[in-house]
Amino acid sequence: MIRNLRRAVRRAYRRTVDLSHPARSPLGSAVVNCVGYADGVRQTGSCPAEEALRRVRKENSAAPGSNSFVWIGLHEPTHEEFASLAELFGLHPLTVEDAVHEHPRPKVVPYDDTLLAVFKTVGYAEHDQLTATSQVVETGEITVITGRDFVITIRYGRHGSLGPLREALETVPEQLAKGPSSVLHAVADFVVDGYLAVADAVQDDIDAVELAVFSEHAGRGEAGRSEAGRIYQLKRELLEFKRALSPLNRPLEALATQPASLIAPDIRPYFRDVSDHLARAGEQINGYDSLLDSILQAHLAQMTVAQNEDMRKITAWAAIVAVPTMVCGVYGMNFEHMPELRWTYSYPVVLCVIVVACLVIHRGFRRNGWL
């Protein structure tokens, strides 16, 4: 009941799909939003990227200390859709190549006057009951291209919408006033917070498997094989989780400790906090993996014990059945000269001896725990 309550609360507070920022908008086939910011304040209205960039650079030229920039959000752009933006912002060819293809692992790479950061987003796939084929973790991708007066975010996958993040940032203009690196930090923090949320959700599945493994009838028959399948499925899903999380450790630590021209000095300490959260999520996942190893070993040991118990029972009954088999085999040889063949009470006496011998053996096995 507690697990169901936790699932209901998680669904109630789960990040919802950003309906206010559709995946396809009139600004372009892949452009979700294009907004300019002047000293952390959002400029009214949306406009094409060329116009937004022209305004931002005009403001920066008029006020050299200004941190105006344009933020463009994209969703799964094609190479042709991204080519015009790449030409407008003067992006490196490798940046373009990285931007329009999904990546097997996250990374942070500087290119000329831009910084490319690839984050693997992770979402929890809700399910009523974990099975050997249940999807527990679903992944996506967010690419952030940061320049001196622009930031481009590219999202792949069904989850990880940045609309709510943008709205939350706009309520803190003093943070946005620190420039494009503030958006990079916010996206990194958003992604890592998602890791922690999914790690907490996965714990419910691990608790359910642990409870089932150590239940009274665990390790027997089809139920035992089912539990092994569920454990392996959880380990596979955790492996996918680790592939999204582990490669980010060194890049985030570098952003937090090493000076970079595109990272504002005021933003660098915030990356240290994100790095700490990432380390905590990594420790949780590694702990879950170790716990699942222990649960799997315990489950296999239970199955071995159950099989040994079954073999002992079979052996005990075979020993009991051996008594009448042996006696009947002796008296079934049809020799003429055998003891007590012509005695009137030989048949009931032999039956009584068989029954008494079987009862004595049965009692001995019961006392020793074999039956």
Side-chain angles (χ1 to χ4, degrees):
M1 187 175 76
I2 295 177
R3 182 170 181 265
N4 293 334
L5 180 61
R6 290 174 64 180
R7 184 187 293 115
V9 172
R10 186 169 62 249
R11 286 176 176 174
Y13 288 95
R14 185 174 51 187
R15 293 186 180 99
T16 56
V17 177
D18 179 28
L19 298 179
S20 63
H21 299 81
R24 301 288 169 180
S25 74
L27 295 175
S29 58
V31 178
V32 176
N33 215 329
C34 178
V35 179
Y37 295 90
D39 292 328
V41 179
R42 175 173 177 155
Q43 302 302 290
T44 57
S46 296
C47 57
E50 298 88 342
E51 179 64 20
L53 184 61
R54 186 188 64 78
R55 291 180 184 178
V56 163
R57 290 181 173 173
K58 182 179 179 180
E59 292 171 358
N60 287 336
S61 298
S66 175
N67 272 329
S68 300
F69 65 94
V70 59
W71 182 356
I72 300 177
L74 306 174
H75 181 263
E76 299 184 359
T78 63
H79 190 280
E80 292 75 15
E81 291 171 333
F82 192 73
S84 59
L85 285 177
E87 183 179 358
L88 174 65
F89 291 101
L91 300 180
H92 192 282
L94 292 177
T95 304
V96 179
E97 182 180 346
D98 284 334
V100 296
H101 296 96
E102 290 192 69
H103 304 78
R105 54 188 287 132
K107 62 181 181 179
V108 177
V109 183
Y111 289 115
D112 294 338
D113 292 333
T114 61
L115 183 68
L116 174 76
V118 178
F119 302 99
K120 302 294 288 186
T121 58
V122 174
Y124 181 75
E126 295 286 353
H127 47 269
D128 294 328
Q129 186 176 5
L130 179 68
T131 65
T133 58
S134 295
Q135 183 180 15
V136 179
V137 175
E138 53 186 8
T139 59
E141 184 177 304
I142 296 177
T143 299
V144 183
I145 303 172
T146 308
R148 297 190 181 281
D149 52 12
F150 67 89
V151 57
I152 303 173
T153 55
I154 306 168
R155 181 169 60 90
Y156 292 90
R158 297 180 299 171
H159 63 283
S161 174
L162 297 177
L165 174 64
R166 183 193 293 265
E167 294 170 358
L169 271 175
E170 290 172 355
T171 63
V172 192
E174 59 272 16
Q175 187 74 0
L176 277 175
K178 297 174 182 177
S181 58
S182 64
V183 178
L184 177 60
H185 159 261
V187 173
D189 189 51
F190 170 81
V191 171
V192 173
D193 284 347
Y195 293 162
L196 292 172
V198 173
D200 291 339
V202 170
Q203 185 175 4
D204 291 342
D205 292 314
I206 295 177
D207 291 342
V209 168
E210 186 177 20
L211 183 64
V213 165
F214 292 101
S215 64
E216 182 179 355
H217 301 290
R220 292 187 177 275
E222 188 64 30
R225 290 187 290 273
S226 172
E227 293 305 326
R230 293 170 66 188
I231 296 172
Y232 276 117
Q233 178 65 13
L234 267 178
K235 286 185 68 65
R236 282 195 297 267
E237 295 294 303
L238 284 181
L239 179 60
E240 185 176 0
F241 198 165
K242 291 173 70 174
R243 286 173 179 168
L245 180 151
S246 298
L248 270 180
N249 286 310
R250 294 184 64 182
L252 282 181
E253 185 178 351
L255 290 175
T257 57
Q258 299 177 9
S261 59
L262 295 174
I263 305 298
D266 294 340
I267 293 295
R268 195 175 302 124
Y270 291 95
F271 280 107
R272 186 175 298 111
D273 180 68
V274 176
S275 182
D276 291 341
H277 289 177
L278 181 68
R280 195 179 82 186
E283 290 172 359
Q284 278 188 269
I285 298 305
N286 290 331
Y288 292 161
D289 195 36
S290 299
L291 179 59
L292 284 175
D293 284 336
S294 300
I295 293 174
L296 180 60
Q297 293 299 323
H299 179 61
L300 296 177
Q302 285 179 332
M303 294 184 67
T304 302
V305 169
Q307 291 173 352
N308 289 339
E309 290 179 354
D310 293 339
M311 289 302 299
R312 287 197 303 179
K313 289 181 180 180
I314 294 172
T315 303
W317 283 112
I320 294 173
V321 172
V323 173
T325 302
M326 181 183 64
V327 174
C328 294
V330 170
Y331 278 90
M333 289 186 290
N334 298 322
F335 293 127
E336 290 187 6
H337 304 287
M338 293 187 69
E340 313 301 341
L341 281 179
R342 301 186 181 278
W343 185 36
T344 305
Y345 302 103
S346 41
Y347 183 70
V349 168
V350 169
L351 289 180
C352 289
V353 170
I354 292 174
V355 171
V356 170
C358 290
L359 290 176
V360 170
I361 296 174
H362 183 272
R363 183 183 179 187
F365 283 129
R366 287 291 297 272
R367 291 179 62 182
N368 289 302
W370 284 50
L371 290 175

